[in-house]
Amino acid sequence: MAANASARGIPAPLAGVAGIAAVVLGAGLGELAAAVLAPSSSPVAAIGAALIDLAPPWAKDTAIALFGTADKIALLAGIALVMLALAAFAGWLEVRFPPWGAVVVAGFGVAGAVIAATRPGAGALAWLPSAVAGATGAVALWLLARLLRRSLASPTSAAPADPQERTDAATAGPPDADTPRPPSRRAFFAWAGAATAVGIVAVGVGSLRSTASAGVAAARRALRLPTPAVAASAVPAGAELGLPGLAEVVTPNDRFYRIDTALIVPEVDPADWRLRIHGMVANEVELTWDDVLALPLEESWTTLACVSNEVGGTLIGNARWLGYPVRELLARARPDTDADMVLSRSIDGFTASTPLEALTDARNAILAVGMNGEPLPLEHGFPARLVVPGLYGYVSATKWVTDLEVTRFDRATAYWTTRGWSERGPIKLQSRIDVPRRGQGLKAGEVVIAGVAWQQQVGIEAVEVRIDEGEWMPATLAAAISDDTWVQWSHPWDATPGDHVIQCRATSRTGEVQTEQTAPPAPDGATGWHWRTVSVFD
Ligand SMILES: Nc1nc2c(c(=O)[nH]1)N[C@H]1C(S)=C(S)[C@@H](COP(=O)(O)O)O[C@H]1N2
Ligand SMILES: [Mo]
């Protein structure tokens, strides 16, 4: 390819501006098209979703460790930055070697279209927003780069033209009396600015439009869940210690941790939702939303925990779930005797492998539709998800669930298992210190140490606390809601001035003492004792 001669004098930053303006315009129009057609087909989201699935496990683990539940915002910001850098490069390329910059932009559009069209659950028009983005971005870049070359090859609009420059300018077109004046640099900035502004406004309009048209959110608000046929036990008196800084024993929905691979929360209309039970079964079952609501629904308490939770971490929450026993649904399907796993699948292609036994034994493994007295929030799986006490979420708690395939561990592999996590994930015995809070200055004297402890399906027998590696002292357990929930604990401490290390450890109902041995979250859950250093002042 030959460098464009008239481009030689063009400063790279101006070429970068052309690239960024064109890409912002294209991306903005693409996002607007996605908002109108299907939120999950947004070009940026499609690329992000593909990156999430392609990312090596360590990258995801690091993202969760660094950004916690803000990992998705961090990813989107990262994608935006990389896109801007590539846009600037495409601008330079287009100015120097036309039309290669435009070709690169169009190529990204094609890549986005292919990715969006091949995502699980992609609609028929999923390719369109990326195609719009690529096409408008490429054309805009081609035009802006041409404008830029011509404006810089011309005399500036203000100064009287020097004869030499006039000659150069004249070569751009026939030396006709009607020849329009070559565009000024100001014109370039005006067009680049306009393209950027239109792109930004399109994103804004798109996000308004996608919230306004969020029919699924409206359907959820209008929904009245049936009264449970079996109500959950009441929270026993004394289960909630009510200490500032201590996790509430029932986690409010808006503060419940959220972990999933969905960059855009799937919007599943209950009217279209189906749950299919198939695979190694005698009788395939399909349920509609109305079928589920007509069932005698049961309420139960379960503390959900994420395998990525570090010792002392906050990727855990407790809720009152409303749903129907998976055991009963499976009984209708009649699994083959040699089946040992259920691969649950969400509408966006996430899968979890749950031992068939955990779904058929006496525990409250449910197809959940309600959370703390409300329909499931959209980001927690509306309209339906699985909740299985005693198992980490990645092997059990599939949100936006649409498919249960009865199979075997030696025949099918779930999303995280193919990325290096264990195929089974029973929740490990853990305890956490919540107060004194991290970095909180303490006055010497009576101080309360408090936290939570859990081992779902087993229950907590005791929690102990020690200061500066002294004797273990028994903490006082609050009342537990059930063995499937965490329990609060507290311990009074006569704090003396100086720096201290507080540690805690739990003992389960089967007599297991929480191990001191530290293990990272991968592959099957973190272990070790939680500790916190505090500074006590006179
Ligand atoms: N569809 C879908 N369901 C999913 C996941 C996911 O990525 N996609 N993540 C699982 C994981 S790892 C956890 S810990 C829980 C978290 O549920 P929550 O976000 O409601 O707290 O959801 C599980 N269900
Ligand atoms: Mo998780």
Side-chain angles (χ1 to χ4, degrees):
M1 62 190 165
N4 188 300
S6 66
R8 219 164 282 133
I10 298 180
L14 285 185
V17 167
I20 288 174
V23 167
V24 168
L25 174 70
L29 293 178
E31 293 301 312
L32 179 58
V36 176
L37 293 169
S40 60
S41 65
S42 132
V44 175
I47 293 169
L51 286 180
I52 289 178
D53 288 350
L54 291 175
W58 61 260
K60 268 183 269 216
D61 304 344
T62 314
I64 291 177
L66 279 179
F67 304 111
T69 49
D71 54 345
K72 292 180 186 66
I73 305 206
L75 174 67
L76 287 176
I79 293 174
L81 283 178
V82 171
M83 268 179 61
L84 289 182
L86 287 171
F89 170 71
W92 174 84
L93 205 58
E94 178 64 19
V95 166
R96 292 305 303 265
F97 307 102
W100 288 104
V103 168
V104 165
V105 172
F108 276 102
V110 171
V114 169
I115 292 170
T118 52
R119 299 285 312 154
L125 291 179
W127 56 275
L128 192 54
S130 292
V132 166
T136 51
V139 171
L141 179 55
W142 179 70
L143 289 172
L144 282 172
R146 212 172 64 135
L147 189 61
L148 183 60
R149 277 194 303 271
R150 288 170 59 204
S151 75
L152 292 184
S154 76
T156 52
S157 41
D162 112 24
Q164 182 56 42
E165 272 187 336
R166 167 157 299 178
T167 321
D168 283 346
T171 59
D176 205 3
D178 298 340
T179 304
R181 285 178 61 81
S184 65
R185 192 189 280 214
R186 194 175 294 162
F188 167 73
F189 278 115
W191 280 106
T196 311
V198 170
I200 290 171
V201 168
V203 172
V205 172
S207 67
L208 282 183
R209 146 100 214 182
S210 64
T211 29
S213 72
V216 172
R220 176 183 176 273
R221 273 194 304 277
L223 197 77
R224 291 289 158 269
L225 290 175
T227 350
V230 178
S233 59
V235 176
E240 176 56 70
L241 297 177
L243 297 171
L246 173 61
E248 289 143 290
V249 73
V250 180
T251 314
N253 289 356
D254 58 359
R255 260 179 281 146
F256 207 96
Y257 81 97
R258 173 187 167 204
I259 288 288
D260 53 59
T261 59
L263 205 47
I264 300 264
V265 176
E267 295 193 356
V268 185
D269 189 331
D272 303 330
W273 177 87
R274 298 282 182 281
L275 179 72
R276 193 170 152 240
I277 309 176
H278 63 110
M280 299 172 66
V281 298
N283 179 41
E284 278 203 14
V285 173
E286 193 176 86
L287 290 167
T288 66
W289 180 244
D290 287 340
D291 293 337
V292 172
L293 292 194
L295 295 167
L297 302 183
E298 305 180 3
E299 269 185 338
S300 49
W301 294 102
T302 295
T303 297
L304 203 64
C306 181
V307 70
S308 296
N309 201 28
E310 303 276 355
V311 172
T314 54
L315 301 179
I316 176 167
N318 182 44
R320 178 165 47 92
W321 307 94
L322 174 70
Y324 190 69
V326 178
R327 159 180 15 97
E328 301 293 337
L329 296 176
L330 287 172
R332 293 189 188 184
R334 287 184 279 127
D336 298 352
T337 47
D338 55 340
D340 65 3
M341 186 260 270
V342 172
L343 190 75
S344 54
R345 183 181 298 272
S346 68
I347 193 139
D348 65 344
F350 168 87
T351 51
S353 56
T354 311
L356 184 61
E357 209 200 326
L359 298 174
T360 47
D361 66 16
R363 81 183 79 194
N364 289 317
I366 57 168
L367 174 72
V369 296
M371 181 175 182
N372 290 327
E374 285 175 32
L376 292 178
L378 299 193
E379 58 272 27
H380 294 292
F382 183 80
R385 73 176 304 169
L386 296 181
V387 172
V388 183
L391 302 181
Y392 287 121
Y394 83 107
V395 288
S396 67
T398 303
K399 306 190 271 189
W400 316 287
V401 65
T402 57
D403 191 289
L404 303 182
E405 181 186 348
V406 178
T407 178
R408 296 178 48 88
F409 276 105
D410 59 15
R411 285 191 199 167
T413 313
Y415 186 94
W416 286 110
T417 308
T418 57
R419 291 162 173 81
W421 294 76
S422 169
E423 66 180 10
R424 289 161 208 252
I427 294 176
K428 294 180 180 176
L429 174 61
Q430 266 297 327
S431 57
R432 183 180 87 194
I433 302 162
D434 281 358
V435 283
R437 279 175 267 192
R438 213 184 334 203
Q440 180 189 344
L442 288 181
K443 247 191 103 46
E446 181 89 338
V447 162
V448 178
I449 302 171
V452 281
W454 62 90
Q455 188 177 28
Q456 293 84 325
Q457 281 288 287
V458 179
I460 296 297
E461 183 67 38
V463 171
E464 297 164 286
V465 174
R466 68 175 184 179
I467 312 290
D468 300 330
E469 303 195 19
E471 289 293 297
W472 286 105
M473 302 170 285
T476 306
L477 282 189
I481 300 178
S482 82
D483 285 346
D484 287 334
T485 67
W486 61 10
V487 59
Q488 296 182 343
W489 56 265
S490 67
H491 184 72
W493 172 40
D494 189 11
T496 53
D499 288 346
H500 301 286
V501 179
I502 306 171
Q503 288 171 298
C504 70
R505 70 173 185 195
T507 302
S508 78
R509 287 247 154 97
T510 55
E512 179 190 345
V513 179
Q514 183 183 334
T515 179
E516 180 181 9
Q517 197 76 47
T518 61
D524 62 0
T527 61
W529 291 336
H530 189 210
W531 53 271
R532 179 160 289 178
T533 50
V534 291
S535 300
V536 180
F537 304 99
D538 250 330

